[in-house]
Amino acid sequence: MLKYLLLILSLCFASASAIQAKTRIVFWHSMGGQLGVILNHLVKEFNDSQHQYVVDAIYKGQYAESLTSTVAAFHAHKAPDLVQVFEVGTATMLSSKAAIVPVYRLMKDNNIPLSSQQFFPAIGGYYSNTKGQLMAFPFNSSSPVLYYNKEAFRMAGLNPNKPPKTWPQLEADSKQLLKAGYQCGFTTAWPSWIQLEVFSAWHNKPFATQGNGLLGNNPRVKFNYPLLVKHIATLGRWQKEHIFEYGGQESNAIALFETGVCPMITDSSGALASLSKTVKFPLAVGYLPYWPADGVPQNTSIGGAALWVMAGHSKHEYKGIAEFLQFLAKAKIQAYWSEKTGYLPVTMAAYNYIKNQGYYQRHPNQEIAIKELNHKPPTRYSKGIRLGNYSLIRKINSSAIEAVMSQQMTAKQALDKAVKEDNLLLEQFHLSIQ
């Protein structure tokens, strides 16, 4: 009996030693709910695929909370190995050179091939430095699209397979929907992101100097140009006529769409998975509308987040991180993530893999955002926006739109005021990183 007991104990100790021998990779993320379930599935698949590393995925709250926690942890010398940061925090991460390990360097040091060229240009370019070297790993990327209620289109005598392509067409369709008894034509989630930032990229207009901040560290915003002033003024007029219904600064407007009040909404492509489950009507996706002009539309820019490697860890941990990123870049893994969540496949190989499987023929709604993002090769105005104090800038810009919708200011007054306040924040950020 004693021999058996000693044998069992020795096996237990051996098993424990094997577990302890695995290098732990601490990964902070902001994927809650069903997104977190899907992410944990991928992490488990990686952990089960090898015996050297254990990725410990920890939910750290929403994007802004996670970024704040990361900054505090770094200063306390307790930073995670890997952290998910939304695109709003990109300039902050890039300015913190001592806090990060560039992904291109990590992969090179561990002899794992990975470059910005493997990603879609509008995605890889956004997370690269001016030399085209990948600074972070693009993970969950999205772009705004037009969602619409096909049943509402039928009720209004509109073709349910032909969503409006331009803003004038959207106005005309909205008037038809109002005649059919609907309370409004359309609404928008994330108005600052979609109606200011992506609007500028889609129309190939500069949002800020220095290539929207991608080509320098001291940009200034300049989005109070005539076309954007006209667009926001038009939204204000449409608000009075019930063609448009303002739903708030963030994603609250989605309730207006889900309940059938507004049969159209501009929202992130990342909302597709949840909308497909929550709406009670046939859901379809169209391109983001545009104002007709020569060369328009251009291409949309991305939202979402990337994975950043934090400094101050061991070679063994960095080897594990590199292998985990290599795993996430695999076409099959990207395909699973994209199909289950609605986010874009970030690599061209993954997109081709999904397409060759016939997935987009069966699910055409999920290909619209990819086609928008790659509608044309990105220009210096359509690669994205990278600004310091970005979260505060978005709040100012959201408040500017709200002031127009509530008839407190004209579009020109609101955007001029926002530009002035934004540039003060940019100046403060530039001074802080010197």
Side-chain angles (χ1 to χ4, degrees):
M1 182 65 72
L2 182 59
K3 283 184 178 180
Y4 286 123
L5 181 60
L6 289 172
L7 179 60
I8 292 169
L9 287 172
S10 66
L11 289 173
C12 288
F13 283 130
S15 178
S17 298
I19 294 172
Q20 289 174 0
K22 290 186 177 183
T23 300
R24 181 173 178 249
I25 309 298
V26 179
F27 170 30
W28 287 2
H29 67 86
S30 297
M31 298 283 92
Q34 184 61 23
L35 292 174
V37 173
I38 298 166
L39 176 59
N40 285 334
H41 172 84
L42 292 182
V43 169
K44 184 178 186 300
E45 186 171 337
F46 172 76
N47 288 341
D48 292 345
S49 70
Q50 43 73 47
H51 304 289
Q52 291 180 284
Y53 313 102
V54 175
V55 174
D56 187 3
I58 302 170
Y59 177 71
K60 292 297 288 187
Q62 296 183 350
Y63 286 134
E65 298 173 86
S66 179
L67 180 57
T68 300
S69 297
T70 300
V71 173
F74 174 74
H75 288 302
H77 304 288
K78 295 181 180 179
D81 296 274
L82 193 65
V83 63
Q84 182 188 30
V85 177
F86 60 159
E87 92 282 10
V88 172
T90 302
T92 299
M93 297 302 289
L94 287 173
S95 67
S96 308
K97 295 179 181 179
I100 65 168
V101 175
V103 164
Y104 79 88
R105 187 184 302 159
L106 171 84
M107 305 309 272
K108 183 179 180 181
D109 289 347
N110 289 281
N111 298 313
I112 295 176
L114 184 74
S115 77
S116 61
Q117 302 303 311
Q118 295 172 232
F119 298 85
F120 284 119
I123 297 176
Y126 183 76
Y127 290 111
S128 296
N129 60 19
T130 55
K131 296 180 181 179
Q133 296 167 317
L134 205 60
M135 300 299 288
F137 181 88
F139 181 56
N140 56 306
S141 293
S142 60
S143 193
V145 294
L146 177 72
Y147 295 97
Y148 68 100
N149 179 337
K150 294 184 75 171
E151 182 60 30
F153 270 49
R154 291 192 189 96
M155 295 288 289
L158 298 169
N159 188 332
N161 297 315
K162 288 189 176 181
K165 291 183 178 181
T166 68
W167 287 112
Q169 288 172 359
L170 182 139
E171 179 180 18
D173 287 355
S174 294
K175 288 178 179 178
Q176 285 290 102
L177 290 162
L178 291 175
K179 287 180 183 178
Y182 290 93
Q183 296 178 42
C184 76
F186 85 103
T187 185
T188 186
W190 310 108
S192 178
W193 176 47
I194 297 174
Q195 304 302 335
L196 296 184
E197 299 170 24
V198 179
F199 178 95
S200 297
W202 199 219
H203 293 82
N204 200 26
K205 297 291 185 181
F207 188 86
T209 61
Q210 296 185 344
N212 290 343
L214 273 73
L215 302 177
N217 63 2
N218 194 19
R220 295 292 182 269
V221 299
K222 51 184 296 185
F223 55 79
N224 53 343
Y225 55 86
L227 180 60
L228 190 47
V229 171
K230 169 194 168 182
H231 179 63
I232 299 303
T234 302
L235 291 180
R237 174 173 64 83
W238 286 346
Q239 168 90 353
K240 298 176 190 175
E241 299 170 4
H242 303 292
I243 290 170
F244 173 67
E245 183 69 30
Y246 177 71
Q249 294 189 6
E250 297 185 347
S251 61
N252 293 340
I254 203 164
L256 295 170
F257 180 69
E258 288 176 324
T259 56
V261 174
C262 300
M264 293 183 282
I265 185 173
T266 50
D267 198 356
S268 168
S269 59
L272 179 59
S274 60
L275 279 174
S276 298
K277 293 180 180 179
T278 57
V279 300
K280 306 299 182 183
F281 49 79
L283 178 70
V285 178
Y287 287 83
L288 200 65
Y290 59 90
W291 290 104
D294 291 341
V296 176
Q298 170 58 41
N299 67 279
T300 55
S301 53
I302 62 166
L307 306 184
W308 293 80
V309 182
M310 301 301 293
H313 298 289
S314 69
K315 287 185 178 180
H316 292 296
E317 288 169 285
Y318 287 134
K319 176 66 173 173
I321 297 169
E323 292 196 13
F324 180 53
L325 296 183
Q326 182 185 39
F327 168 83
L328 293 177
K330 289 180 179 179
K332 286 186 178 180
I333 300 302
Q334 279 291 311
Y336 176 86
W337 173 252
S338 178
E339 292 170 12
K340 293 294 182 181
T341 65
Y343 282 113
L344 309 179
V346 295
T347 66
M348 290 179 282
Y351 171 65
N352 289 329
Y353 175 84
I354 297 171
K355 194 170 185 176
N356 291 338
Q357 300 295 314
Y359 182 81
Y360 293 127
Q361 289 184 338
R362 301 189 300 274
H363 305 277
N365 285 345
Q366 282 196 234
E367 195 176 15
I368 298 297
I370 303 168
K371 289 182 176 180
E372 286 182 339
L373 195 70
N374 298 285
H375 185 67
K376 291 178 182 176
T379 70
R380 62 185 294 149
Y381 302 143
S382 66
K383 286 183 179 179
I385 300 166
R386 190 188 292 165
L387 302 175
N389 283 327
Y390 204 173
S391 59
L392 296 176
I393 284 172
R394 270 201 179 157
K395 287 180 181 178
I396 289 172
N397 296 348
S398 296
S399 296
I401 295 173
E402 197 162 81
V404 178
M405 298 306 116
S406 60
Q407 302 178 48
Q408 295 176 7
M409 303 178 79
T410 67
K412 183 70 164 65
Q413 290 170 337
L415 295 188
D416 284 350
K417 182 174 181 287
V419 164
K420 185 177 180 180
E421 293 176 0
D422 290 355
N423 283 333
L424 287 175
L425 286 174
L426 287 171
E427 187 176 348
Q428 291 171 7
F429 181 79
H430 180 67
L431 291 173
S432 73
I433 63 174
Q434 295 307 299

